[in-house]
Amino acid sequence: VTSFSSPLVASMSACLWQVFRDRSNMEIFGAVQRSAEFFNNPNDSVGYGIPAFWQAFLLLRGSQQSGQEDALEIWPNPSAGPVNLLVNAVDACVLTASVYDASGKLVWESKAFQEFGGAALLHADPPLSPGCYLVRVREGDSEIGVQRLVRMAP
């Protein structure tokens, strides 16, 4: 018995490499790995989980656009659950994602290590009540981006 997942992952990776011909095999591999559902917490039974190739595409595209206005993207937005933060960082660094309510009070914060320069994909599920929030991402004292997040009722 063989698994059909390996041919699918290999073929989708080849498609990504066709779009980003100037990238190395390890850059493609890293983006696919970072897009997987359990990237931040891999386990013995499913490893990194199922890769999300659209997110891998965005990671690779984001590292090409580093330094432009879209240094921070959030989706889905509005959201009733977890959100994804696509952050363009120039070098390896520690990223801090902070969420502020309408009064400016810090209501949630998380840190993540960005191993490579380029784009980082952070999966976040802050415990927020329905409302409007500001998400701020920093690299040390440097602000990378600020975006509005609308939290809906589940």
Side-chain angles (χ1 to χ4, degrees), residues 12-26:
M12 291 298 294
S13 297
C15 291
L16 275 176
W17 210 354
Q18 281 187 318
V19 174
F20 300 100
R21 294 172 186 257
D22 60 327
R23 301 307 181 93
S24 72
N25 62 330
M26 292 311 293

Side-chain angles (χ1 to χ4, degrees), residues 87-101:
V87 182
N88 288 323
V90 177
D91 297 312
C93 61
V94 175
L95 298 170
T96 303
S98 307
V99 178
Y100 299 89
D101 65 13

Side-chain angles (χ1 to χ4, degrees), residues 12-113:
M12 291 298 294
S13 297
C15 291
L16 275 176
W17 210 354
Q18 281 187 318
V19 174
F20 300 100
R21 294 172 186 257
D22 60 327
R23 301 307 181 93
S24 72
N25 62 330
M26 292 311 293
E27 288 175 299
I28 301 295
F29 173 79
V32 171
Q33 187 178 42
R34 285 183 284 166
S35 75
E37 61 186 328
F38 299 121
F39 173 69
N40 291 325
N41 193 20
N43 61 52
D44 293 340
S45 61
V46 295
Y48 288 99
I50 300 169
F53 282 91
W54 176 247
Q55 292 177 0
F57 172 84
L58 292 173
L59 287 167
L60 291 163
R61 184 199 69 174
S63 63
Q64 283 184 331
Q65 297 177 347
S66 186
Q68 294 184 359
E69 290 179 10
D70 58 351
L72 171 62
E73 294 180 40
I74 301 174
W75 78 92
N77 192 13
S79 172
V83 295
N84 300 295
L85 308 174
L86 180 65
V87 182
N88 288 323
V90 177
D91 297 312
C93 61
V94 175
L95 298 170
T96 303
S98 307
V99 178
Y100 299 89
D101 65 13
S103 69
K105 178 182 172 190
L106 178 66
V107 293
W108 183 83
E109 189 168 77
S110 179
K111 293 184 184 290
F113 180 68

